[in-house]
Amino acid sequence: MTTLLLSHPACLDHLTPQGHPERPDRLRAIERVLEQEKFQGLVREQAPMATLETIALAHPMDYVENVRDAAPREGMVRIDADTTMSPGSFEAVMRAAGGAALAVDEVMTGRAANAFVATRPPGHHAETATAMGFCLFNNAAIAARHAQKTHDAERVAIVDFDVHHGNGSQDIFWNDASVMYCSTHQMPLYPGTGAVSDRGAQNTIVNAPLRPGDGGDRFREAMETVILPRLEGFAPDLIIISAGFDAHMRDPLANLNFLEPDYAWVTQKLMELADRRCDGRVVSLLEGGYDLEGLSKSVAAHVTALMRG
């Protein structure tokens, strides 16, 4: 079986203000690096549009409709201090969620070994009914709920190594025993959530914060001593990765010092756990990563590891 790559040109049409870090060039950098010969074995498909009902698996329908209706006909509108919408934004978010759902379909049915969804905007800051932090809909949460509703997954794990804590994913699954959310992230840093004491109502929230200046050694220690053992015990039917690459040492928005081998390592570790616990089922969704060189090299390391699975 092969690794599936999902993206769509419409995700370039989500425009942000001049100088905004979450910009279309992020996807262009990823596209360029994945054109290398070693990635020719990827199965490439375009991300479909999600239905409103699929989005509503993780968000109230009135919120979904409010986001749809907020998209401007021209120019940009500000949703919060750093989250905007342009005329192309709604299709982009629907493609991002649709790509996540299709990746789940392909992996859960065994048509793909694993999948990487290279879309934007990211999703993990989107709370149940609140857009924030560049995010409108929570793609990882939608993917998890889709796996449960459509493929009878009993337990889904979300592993988030973005440098910023996925407050939205934590919010959506706070009371849910069937979804485990695990995160490494810099602390203190936006959005200010993700303390070790944040465990959720069902003890299925697992936070392993890192300090500014920490590098791959502390990241690997956090994964091996905190997160991987909890995942092993949870025995998920599917692992969803919130794959943010802004903990890279080059990234301008934070102060961790990961390098490309750290992303290859964590990907391999999660795939080994998936092999033991859920027939290798892994779906990876792009979150952050704002230095184009750091992002593209880290994605290349991540996808190379997925393909070796």
Side-chain angles (χ1 to χ4, degrees), residues 46-308:
Q46 293 202 333
M49 293 272 284
T51 64
L52 296 181
E53 289 73 21
T54 297
I55 307 292
L57 295 173
H59 300 284
M61 182 60 85
D62 61 349
Y63 169 72
V64 177
E65 293 172 342
N66 287 342
V67 171
R68 178 195 62 192
D69 297 343
R73 294 184 181 273
E74 58 184 32
M76 294 182 196
V77 295
R78 191 174 292 277
I79 304 300
D80 81 343
D82 51 19
T83 310
T84 59
M85 291 187 76
S86 70
S89 295
F90 190 68
E91 181 175 351
V93 296
M94 296 300 280
R95 297 280 181 187
L102 179 58
V104 168
D105 291 339
E106 296 297 290
V107 169
M108 291 299 292
T109 57
R111 291 192 292 266
N114 51 51
F116 179 60
V117 184
T119 52
R120 54 179 289 278
H124 72 153
H125 293 309
E127 296 184 341
T128 303
T130 305
M132 59 184 288
F134 314 163
C135 304
L136 296 162
F137 296 145
N138 193 309
N139 301 315
I142 293 163
R145 290 290 188 230
H146 181 68
Q148 292 179 319
K149 180 178 186 295
T150 307
H151 301 283
D152 296 324
E154 293 184 9
R155 294 176 304 283
V156 179
I158 300 171
V159 181
D160 187 339
F161 50 69
D162 191 281
V163 80
H164 303 97
H165 181 249
N167 59 292
S169 303
Q170 175 169 292
D171 171 67
I172 290 168
F173 297 114
W174 184 266
N175 294 307
D176 196 325
S178 71
V179 178
M180 176 171 279
Y181 174 72
C182 303
S183 176
T184 59
H185 48 275
Q186 180 180 321
M187 198 173 201
L189 191 65
Y190 179 91
T193 51
V196 173
S197 57
D198 291 350
R199 295 178 180 167
Q202 308 291 335
N203 196 30
T204 50
I205 305 293
V206 185
N207 288 307
L210 304 170
R211 293 188 294 268
D214 281 352
D217 55 341
R218 296 306 302 262
F219 170 58
R220 297 182 191 213
E221 179 184 353
M223 291 296 303
E224 290 194 307
T225 63
V226 179
I227 289 177
L228 292 173
R230 290 294 307 278
L231 284 173
E232 195 87 53
F234 187 65
D237 299 308
L238 171 69
I239 294 175
I240 295 168
I241 302 175
S242 274
F245 299 98
D246 40 6
H248 192 281
M249 68 177 299
R250 293 180 56 93
D251 201 275
L253 296 194
N255 309 101
L256 295 185
N257 292 304
F258 294 12
L259 295 170
E260 296 91 293
D262 299 313
Y263 293 113
W265 176 86
V266 71
T267 307
Q268 189 61 45
K269 286 292 183 181
L270 292 172
M271 289 170 64
E272 290 170 359
L273 194 148
D275 285 342
R276 292 192 297 272
R277 291 298 187 185
C278 54
D279 294 329
R281 292 189 287 266
V282 172
V283 167
S284 177
L285 310 177
L286 179 67
E287 299 281 2
Y290 304 103
D291 176 82
L292 298 184
E293 181 180 339
L295 171 64
S296 59
K297 289 183 175 179
S298 299
V299 167
H302 177 60
V303 174
T304 297
L306 289 174
M307 293 175 73
R308 288 177 180 160

